[in-house]
Amino acid sequence: VSPIEKSNQLLRRFVADAGHELNTPVATIEGCLQTLGEPSKIGDMSEELFEMLERASDRLRHLAKDLVVLARVEDLESELSRTEINLRDMTEYVIAELSSAAARRSIEIHLGDFPDVSLVAHEESIHEILNNLIDNAIKYSENGGIIDISAQQGEQYISISISDAGEGIDEDEIEHIFDRFYRVDKSRSRNIGGSGLGLSIVKAAVARHKGYIGVESEAGKGSTFTVTLPI
């Protein structure tokens, strides 16, 4: 009975957290619509109202997408179509996707030693792993920072490391960072966006591929996330 009760507790917590995350943008949209319904109150606020609506809508869209992705990768009974993927090519592709976000804050992304190796994997999941980790490194780096990405190949595994020199993570929080909706710096996380599900998706996708993920971090000195996947 104990494992079942624990699962039920986790489910109740997940539903409550998801409801809380959904409630914030919905409340913003409702408030904006109420104001728009009373023209006398709008004044010069029309542009600001539409910006608030756009941000709330964007947050709902990202949250809905991440919930679907998380459900898919955590469902062990679902089939994930697997193809041969060149990991270096995929990494370069994700870096190119995120280059504009990095450039806006003068952050450099360095791709170091990276063997030209392929693995049989679910393409969307590998993309989600790399995208979430590199995007997080950008978000939590200081302006003008540097992100280093490299990989090491063993006989049966390849390990990819993504390092930043950002604010880092306190030791007592590291064990929680892969929890759904957990935020290290709640006030800052709200400002920089995200659903709070990114690292949960990464952990689930890595586990689905029979790999593992580790993190080394020190507050004020940055973090290194290392994903190890079977070739």
Side-chain angles (χ1 to χ4, degrees):
V1 175
S2 182
I4 296 173
E5 179 56 30
K6 184 177 180 180
S7 295
N8 286 335
Q9 288 175 356
L10 290 172
L11 179 60
R12 286 194 292 269
R13 177 184 167 190
F14 175 65
V15 171
D17 289 344
H20 177 74
E21 292 292 327
L22 287 165
N23 185 62
T24 302
V26 168
T28 299
I29 292 172
E30 288 178 343
C32 290
L33 290 174
Q34 288 176 0
T35 303
L36 289 170
E38 301 179 42
S40 60
K41 291 185 177 181
I42 297 176
D44 298 327
M45 294 174 55
S46 57
E47 185 175 346
E48 182 181 347
L49 284 171
F50 282 110
E51 287 178 356
M52 290 172 64
L53 283 169
E54 186 176 14
R55 286 196 298 270
S57 175
D58 190 56
R59 185 172 174 186
L60 281 174
R61 183 172 62 253
H62 282 293
L63 181 57
K65 167 189 163 289
D66 284 349
L67 284 169
V68 170
V69 172
L70 182 62
R72 185 183 301 130
V73 296
E74 284 193 331
D75 183 4
L76 299 179
E77 295 184 2
S78 68
E79 288 294 330
L80 296 180
S81 59
R82 303 188 183 223
T83 57
E84 189 171 320
I85 300 168
N86 185 290
L87 202 53
R88 183 185 176 94
D89 288 348
M90 175 68 80
T91 303
E92 290 177 341
Y93 176 76
V94 173
I95 291 173
E97 282 187 315
L98 297 171
S99 60
S100 295
R104 282 195 294 270
R105 298 182 47 222
S106 301
I107 293 171
E108 296 182 18
I109 302 177
H110 293 170
L111 185 62
D113 294 336
F114 207 113
D116 190 17
V117 62
S118 295
L119 64 157
V120 177
H122 181 236
E123 185 172 355
E124 182 186 355
S125 294
I126 300 302
H127 181 277
E128 287 290 336
I129 291 168
L130 294 169
N131 182 78
N132 276 300
L133 291 178
I134 298 173
D135 186 47
N136 272 2
I138 294 170
K139 287 177 178 177
Y140 290 98
S141 288
E142 300 296 333
N143 290 346
I146 295 174
I147 296 169
D148 290 308
I149 303 173
S150 61
Q152 289 185 327
Q153 181 181 352
E155 290 185 7
Q156 298 179 355
Y157 288 85
I158 182 166
S159 294
I160 312 150
S161 295
I162 299 168
S163 301
D164 65 71
E167 60 191 45
I169 307 166
D170 288 330
E171 186 177 353
D172 59 343
E173 292 191 289
I174 287 180
E175 62 179 298
H176 300 294
I177 60 174
F178 295 103
D179 294 349
R180 298 160 176 171
F181 300 115
Y182 186 81
R183 299 174 189 271
V184 174
D185 182 342
K186 295 178 176 57
S187 59
R188 185 178 181 192
S189 295
R190 299 290 185 193
N191 293 330
I192 64 177
S195 65
L197 292 171
L199 288 179
S200 298
I201 291 172
V202 169
K203 183 179 180 180
V206 170
R208 191 73 188 271
H209 285 77
K210 296 181 169 38
Y212 55 92
I213 181 168
V215 56
E216 295 179 1
S217 185
E218 186 175 347
K221 294 187 177 181
S223 305
T224 297
F225 285 82
T226 301
V227 173
T228 301
L229 298 169
I231 298 174

XYZ file of all heavy atoms in Angstrom, residues 35-36 38-50:
117
model
N -10.420 44.902 -17.978
C -10.039 46.290 -18.268
C -10.451 46.679 -19.679
O -10.967 47.786 -19.914
C -8.517 46.474 -18.097
O -8.144 46.088 -16.777
C -8.122 47.931 -18.316
N -10.225 45.776 -20.639
C -10.601 46.063 -22.026
C -12.115 46.197 -22.180
O -12.590 46.867 -23.104
C -10.091 44.944 -22.945
C -8.572 44.897 -23.158
C -8.184 43.611 -23.877
C -8.104 46.104 -23.952
N -13.976 47.768 -20.197
C -14.382 49.086 -19.698
C -13.489 50.145 -20.338
O -12.457 50.516 -19.789
C -14.257 49.136 -18.176
C -15.108 48.077 -17.475
C -14.943 48.125 -15.969
O -14.915 49.243 -15.409
O -14.810 47.053 -15.350
N -13.866 50.624 -21.530
C -13.027 51.556 -22.290
C -12.565 52.768 -21.501
O -11.476 53.287 -21.733
C -13.932 51.967 -23.458
C -14.888 50.819 -23.612
C -15.113 50.311 -22.217
N -13.383 53.219 -20.547
C -13.025 54.419 -19.785
C -11.778 54.204 -18.935
O -11.100 55.158 -18.549
C -14.192 54.837 -18.882
O -14.515 53.800 -17.965
N -11.447 52.934 -18.618
C -10.289 52.649 -17.772
C -9.002 52.402 -18.566
O -7.923 52.353 -17.999
C -10.563 51.400 -16.913
C -11.627 51.619 -15.847
C -11.739 50.372 -14.980
C -12.757 50.581 -13.857
N -12.849 49.370 -12.998
N -9.151 52.236 -19.888
C -7.984 51.866 -20.682
C -6.993 53.021 -20.804
O -5.820 52.894 -20.479
C -8.413 51.383 -22.083
C -9.257 50.113 -21.964
C -7.172 51.108 -22.940
C -9.796 49.609 -23.277
N -7.482 54.176 -21.232
C -6.601 55.335 -21.376
C -5.428 55.028 -22.293
O -5.594 54.561 -23.420
N -4.216 55.260 -21.790
C -2.989 55.004 -22.565
C -2.411 53.613 -22.283
O -1.258 53.337 -22.586
C -1.925 56.062 -22.233
C -2.375 57.461 -22.609
O -3.108 57.573 -23.618
O -2.000 58.418 -21.913
N -3.232 52.736 -21.684
C -2.733 51.424 -21.265
C -2.882 50.342 -22.327
O -2.494 49.201 -22.108
C -3.468 50.949 -20.004
C -3.201 51.774 -18.764
S -4.244 51.220 -17.388
C -3.824 49.471 -17.312
N -3.466 50.675 -23.483
C -3.790 49.630 -24.459
C -2.569 48.808 -24.864
O -2.620 47.579 -24.902
C -4.441 50.243 -25.702
O -3.579 51.213 -26.270
N -1.438 49.460 -25.157
C -0.239 48.733 -25.574
C 0.268 47.832 -24.449
O 0.638 46.685 -24.685
C 0.858 49.722 -25.985
C 2.098 49.044 -26.549
C 3.115 50.037 -27.068
O 2.786 51.224 -27.237
O 4.268 49.615 -27.299
N 0.251 48.352 -23.220
C 0.705 47.569 -22.078
C -0.195 46.358 -21.849
O 0.286 45.262 -21.544
C 0.730 48.446 -20.830
C 1.230 47.727 -19.577
C 1.208 48.615 -18.345
O 1.047 49.841 -18.504
O 1.326 48.075 -17.240
N -1.502 46.548 -22.020
C -2.440 45.442 -21.825
C -2.194 44.327 -22.828
O -2.199 43.142 -22.472
C -3.881 45.950 -21.956
C -4.448 46.733 -20.768
C -5.785 47.352 -21.129
C -4.605 45.823 -19.558
N -1.985 44.701 -24.088
C -1.753 43.680 -25.113
C -0.425 42.961 -24.886
O -0.304 41.767 -25.166
C -1.811 44.303 -26.507
C -3.213 44.556 -26.984
C -3.705 45.837 -27.107
C -4.059 43.495 -27.285
C -5.002 46.072 -27.524
C -5.364 43.710 -27.711
C -5.843 45.007 -27.831
